[in-house]
Amino acid sequence: ILIGVSPERGNAMMQQIFPLFRQSFPEVQLRIIEGHQKELEQMVCDRVIDISEASYTPQITSSISRLVRNMDLFPERILLILPKLPYYQEKLARLGAGEPESVVDLRDFQNENFILPTEVRVRLRSVVDWALREAGISPCITLETSNNVSALNFVADGSGLSFIPQSYMYSMYAQTDQIYYRAVRQNPYWIRAMIHRKDSPLTDAEKRLVDIIRDFWKPVTRRLMEDN
């Protein structure tokens, strides 16, 4: 089975689920292909890989190829992240958004510097662009990166604001001592899923692999439901 995963969290996931999969199908070889979601989706469409991590956004027309079938894992908000600096502490307080569960409006940050996902390669960028259009703002983009962990590090260093999937807030990369996480009134979100080509039905081994992946994400799914 050729499976596409993200370079940041996909490999960590596979390290945990691989032993469970081997218990069920010891004779089936897994081959991991790393890439960003847009690239991996195209590889599924081109029959280069069998299944892949993916995400799609119902608000955005054609956010996922019509050639693939999606097996939903969980919906996930895209959060605004800000450096924990006195300036932003005071700004959030003025906006009545000082508490972690507060919701902010992107229009209140139109004059800030932003670090955004790379436009060409990263699916997250289309969700972010949608939210910015909904807010009617065109902020100053000082940096683009294809790596979410890099975005977190730049924000922690005070280089600007950015956007991150909510599950990163519970990960080893969170840096909650240096970063504010806030939900956004424009409500950008996506649905995390696994995908395969519609004309290539899943084998029993692939079905088992998807079930194990679904179980892997259950703790995060519960945490997301509790916080939302």
Side-chain angles (χ1 to χ4, degrees), residues 4-228:
V5 301
S6 66
E8 295 160 14
R9 295 185 294 177
N11 263 327
M13 175 184 73
M14 292 304 297
Q15 289 171 19
Q16 293 191 43
I17 71 174
F18 178 70
L20 297 174
F21 178 77
R22 291 290 288 173
Q23 289 175 16
S24 300
F25 290 91
E27 75 285 0
V28 177
Q29 181 183 19
L30 284 180
R31 183 179 176 190
I32 299 170
I33 308 296
E34 291 187 2
H36 294 288
Q37 289 185 11
K38 282 186 177 181
E39 299 166 335
L40 294 173
E41 180 183 319
Q42 189 59 52
M43 293 174 77
V44 170
C45 293
D46 294 341
R47 304 182 191 275
V48 176
I49 59 178
D50 302 306
I51 60 176
S52 177
E53 288 187 298
S55 64
Y56 67 96
T57 306
Q59 310 103 305
I60 302 174
T61 305
S62 302
S63 66
I64 194 164
S65 171
R66 289 178 293 180
L67 295 176
V68 304
R69 174 171 287 112
N70 48 286
M71 299 163 285
D72 293 353
L73 299 175
F74 55 90
E76 180 177 27
R77 282 181 172 180
I78 307 303
L79 304 181
L80 178 70
I81 53 175
L82 312 88
K84 277 195 174 178
L85 299 174
Y87 168 78
Y88 290 109
Q89 182 181 20
E90 294 169 5
K91 180 163 186 170
L92 290 172
R94 288 198 310 272
L95 295 172
E99 298 301 318
E101 65 273 13
S102 302
V103 178
V104 298
D105 193 318
L106 291 179
R107 290 174 292 184
D108 293 318
F109 300 90
Q110 59 183 330
N111 296 321
E112 304 289 344
N113 293 327
F114 276 81
I115 299 148
L116 295 189
T118 304
E119 189 169 6
V120 176
R121 299 179 65 197
V122 181
R123 164 110 340 125
L124 179 59
R125 179 59 179 269
S126 62
V127 186
V128 170
D129 286 346
W130 175 89
L132 295 174
R133 288 195 300 271
E134 286 292 298
I137 66 172
S138 298
C140 176
I141 303 170
T142 58
L143 179 69
E144 293 187 354
T145 176
S146 62
N147 188 300
N148 287 328
V149 176
S150 294
L152 286 162
N153 291 336
F154 281 120
V155 172
D157 288 343
S159 299
L161 282 56
S162 192
F163 296 88
I164 207 78
Q166 187 174 355
S167 57
Y168 276 84
M169 189 166 63
Y170 319 128
S171 74
M172 69 179 73
Y173 309 113
Q175 303 183 67
T176 51
D177 59 329
Q178 300 181 73
I179 296 175
Y180 293 113
Y181 290 77
R182 292 294 183 270
V184 174
R185 190 171 306 282
Q186 286 71 26
N187 195 29
Y189 76 98
W190 60 17
I191 296 176
R192 298 284 299 274
M194 299 298 296
I195 60 171
H196 67 96
R197 276 189 64 104
K198 289 179 178 178
D199 60 1
S200 298
L202 293 179
T203 64
D204 288 342
E206 289 167 345
K207 290 177 182 177
R208 176 58 180 151
L209 181 58
V210 172
D211 287 341
I212 295 172
I213 291 171
R214 197 182 303 278
D215 288 341
F216 170 85
W217 284 110
K218 279 184 177 178
V220 171
T221 303
R222 285 194 294 269
R223 184 74 181 271
L224 290 171
M225 292 178 64
E226 291 169 2
D227 287 354
N228 293 333

